[in-house]
Amino acid sequence: MTTRNLKTAKQGLQGTLTIPGDKSISHRAVMLGSFAQGITEIRNLLHSADVKSTIQALRALGVEFEEQATVLRIRGRQLADLHAPSEPLDMGNSGTTTRLLMGLFSRLPFDVELIGDGSLSKRPMDRVAIPLRTMGAQIDLTNGNLPARIHANDRLQGIDYTLPVASAQVKTALIFAALQADTVSHIEEPVVTRDHSERMLLAMQRPVERYQHTVIVRPGLQLVAPQIVVPGDFSSAAFWLVAGLIVPQTQLYLQNVGINPTRTGLVKLLQRMGATITVQNRISTAEPVADLSVVHQQLHGIEVVADDIPGAVDEIPMLVLAATQANGLTIIHGAQELRVKETNRIATVTTELNKLGAQVEELPDGFKITGPTRLHAPAGTMVSSHGDHRIGMMLAIAALITDGQVVLEDADAVDVSYPQFFADLEKVLV
């Protein structure tokens, strides 16, 4: 566990950053490329701890990877060509790896066991296992959590299923299993969630259909290997967007950011708070990308409701930080999903920001934030990521506007999704 003295931005942030590859898309590219016919080439893959967990798991089953500085090549295999791993597959801290592979591995001809670190082992897996069992998957959990054993299985049936809570991970796990089923599946979500899996399947010439909130998946795992360029991760860009808005004397330009409309809910919420975020150089391919620029601005409080959450769920900690600097009251409801992330993010965000003098009140399903608040850290205040990458980076941005010295405990948690975060921060500190 590492500690880091965080820095104050006394003269603002200035410069241009190229955002690292999208974590969600990197996971899906590696997983689907492992089963595609031919050689899948992936550029701008995110080289983070989570994505490495995905690669290592599939490599253990016999998938061949050739890694170079700028490209990952995957020689796809059919299910029958894979082999049983010699030991449990370590998911590390990656909930995405775990939940998506539960779906993808539901029809393997051999048993696999999934394990994870202490944090991941506390995260609920029943929400994926229960509908997969309905399809015929044989999955044993440990009190609803990891370790999990997925038993050898030669048959899956289609499913008509309505997700009780909007979740792109659960939806994707069911899509991956439905591609291997014997009959058609209909998966309905209460609110449309990120659609990276559907877009990637289209790029691999295996489209799924959508009718309003329902995804229709017809059987068949015949995928054609594509060339994939992973856009910059919007969730990583979010730290700099909020930093640009709340740190005085700041102007930031962010290159190659994915602006998939199912991911950019934070932009809409910040705009409702009065922010102007400039979008330039739009490119529409399988995943739309653009350059974003932002300068320091005054914000005002808003009310956030449940329908706003799915498109911004990973960015809510940064929205709370922005709200501490906004005029008036911000209330966030419908975010109870944050309680089962890498940490209980409602509790950790509240606790850690209040250490710096913020006025954040924890609600059962969200937050009540009063702003603006001048943040301060008397006598070298110690804050903690609690092993959660997004909490660690949020606190580093908060420290930029905090009087006094802030010390971050468990700083290396950021490696899960953004290994070069602190190096990028150094680039733009004036």
Side-chain angles (χ1 to χ4, degrees), residues 22-147:
D22 186 285
K23 184 162 73 78
S24 295
I25 296 172
S26 293
H27 281 302
R28 288 158 171 81
V30 169
M31 291 180 189
L32 293 177
S34 295
F35 291 87
Q37 299 173 20
I39 296 177
T40 298
E41 292 191 351
I42 309 172
R43 299 181 186 276
N44 199 39
L45 184 81
L46 177 65
H47 294 284
S48 71
D50 270 14
V51 176
K52 289 177 182 176
S53 294
T54 295
I55 292 173
Q56 289 165 1
L58 289 159
R59 180 178 277 140
L61 271 61
V63 179
E64 297 178 19
F65 295 88
E66 179 189 344
E67 297 184 69
Q68 297 179 350
T70 60
V71 63
L72 175 71
R73 291 184 177 87
I74 309 173
R75 185 179 298 276
R77 286 178 172 255
Q78 299 300 306
L79 285 173
D81 297 328
L82 300 176
H83 60 70
S86 59
E87 57 188 11
L89 303 177
D90 189 352
M91 306 289 99
N93 186 250
S94 181
T96 303
T97 304
T98 308
R99 294 191 177 110
L100 270 57
L101 288 184
M102 286 172 68
L104 198 59
F105 289 173
S106 288
R107 200 170 176 174
L108 286 177
F110 47 79
D111 289 9
V112 293
E113 184 178 1
L114 310 184
I115 62 174
D117 68 11
S119 171
L120 181 61
S121 297
K122 298 176 183 176
R123 297 178 66 181
M125 297 299 159
D126 267 335
R127 61 175 62 183
V128 181
I130 289 172
L132 287 174
R133 289 178 188 136
T134 302
M135 300 178 73
Q138 300 177 47
I139 301 173
D140 295 332
L141 299 177
T142 305
N143 298 319
N145 308 109
L146 295 184

Side-chain angles (χ1 to χ4, degrees), residues 15 42 44 67 101 116 124 151 157 215 292 311 382 388 393 422:
I42 309 172
N44 199 39
E67 297 184 69
L101 288 184
H151 295 279
Q157 60 191 20
V215 177
L292 307 178
M382 179 77 75
D388 187 330
M393 288 183 277
F422 288 110

Side-chain angles (χ1 to χ4, degrees), residues 92-402:
N93 186 250
S94 181
T96 303
T97 304
T98 308
R99 294 191 177 110
L100 270 57
L101 288 184
M102 286 172 68
L104 198 59
F105 289 173
S106 288
R107 200 170 176 174
L108 286 177
F110 47 79
D111 289 9
V112 293
E113 184 178 1
L114 310 184
I115 62 174
D117 68 11
S119 171
L120 181 61
S121 297
K122 298 176 183 176
R123 297 178 66 181
M125 297 299 159
D126 267 335
R127 61 175 62 183
V128 181
I130 289 172
L132 287 174
R133 289 178 188 136
T134 302
M135 300 178 73
Q138 300 177 47
I139 301 173
D140 295 332
L141 299 177
T142 305
N143 298 319
N145 308 109
L146 295 184
R149 178 167 287 276
I150 305 171
H151 295 279
N153 189 31
D154 62 1
R155 186 172 184 271
L156 292 174
Q157 60 191 20
I159 189 174
D160 290 342
Y161 186 72
T162 299
L163 274 67
V165 177
S167 168
Q169 291 183 2
V170 178
K171 175 184 70 173
T172 298
L174 296 179
I175 289 174
F176 286 178
L179 290 169
Q180 305 171 66
D182 298 330
T183 54
V184 178
S185 295
H186 300 81
I187 305 162
E188 184 177 351
E189 47 188 352
V191 178
V192 175
T193 61
R194 58 186 66 177
D195 62 355
H196 302 308
S197 300
E198 296 95 311
R199 288 172 180 264
M200 191 164 295
L201 286 167
L202 178 61
M204 292 184 170
Q205 300 180 35
R206 185 60 186 84
V208 299
E209 303 167 43
R210 173 175 285 279
Y211 179 73
Q212 297 180 350
H213 286 196
T214 301
V215 177
I216 304 169
V217 187
R218 303 187 186 281
L221 193 57
Q222 294 78 38
L223 310 176
V224 177
Q227 293 188 344
I228 299 170
V229 179
V230 180
D233 195 321
F234 180 82
S235 293
S236 295
F239 298 103
W240 307 117
L241 289 176
V242 171
L245 292 170
I246 68 175
V247 178
Q249 305 176 65
T250 288
Q251 184 168 4
L252 293 175
Y253 190 82
L254 312 177
Q255 294 180 317
N256 188 44
V257 181
I259 55 168
N260 183 313
T262 64
R263 287 288 296 282
T264 53
L266 177 68
V267 170
K268 297 175 184 177
L269 294 172
L270 292 173
Q271 288 171 337
R272 279 164 48 187
M273 297 176 80
T276 297
I277 297 170
T278 303
V279 182
Q280 300 171 265
N281 303 323
R282 292 176 183 263
I283 300 174
S284 293
T285 54
E287 291 280 350
V289 300
D291 298 337
L292 307 178
S293 59
V294 64
V295 299
H296 176 244
Q297 298 163 53
Q298 185 58 58
L299 306 175
H300 59 77
I302 60 170
E303 183 172 356
V304 179
V305 298
D307 284 353
D308 296 318
I309 300 300
V313 64
D314 286 335
E315 293 75 52
I316 295 299
M318 290 306 296
L319 182 69
V320 175
L321 175 59
T324 69
Q325 303 306 302
N327 289 322
L329 188 65
T330 295
I331 298 179
I332 301 173
H333 285 299
Q336 59 269 22
E337 176 72 10
L338 295 182
R339 293 197 181 275
V340 292
K341 290 290 187 177
E342 284 82 341
T343 59
N344 178 341
R345 285 184 178 160
I346 293 178
T348 54
V349 168
T350 302
T351 298
E352 299 305 320
L353 283 179
N354 285 348
K355 288 179 182 178
L356 304 179
Q359 298 183 50
V360 181
E361 179 183 341
E362 178 179 340
L363 302 177
D365 63 344
F367 307 87
K368 179 179 179 182
I369 310 106
T370 303
T373 304
R374 187 178 183 89
L375 302 184
H376 58 90
T381 301
M382 179 77 75
V383 296
S384 176
S385 73
H386 296 267
D388 187 330
H389 54 125
R390 300 201 194 282
I391 301 300
M393 288 183 277
M394 181 273 290
L395 291 169
I397 300 301
L400 297 172
I401 56 169
T402 300

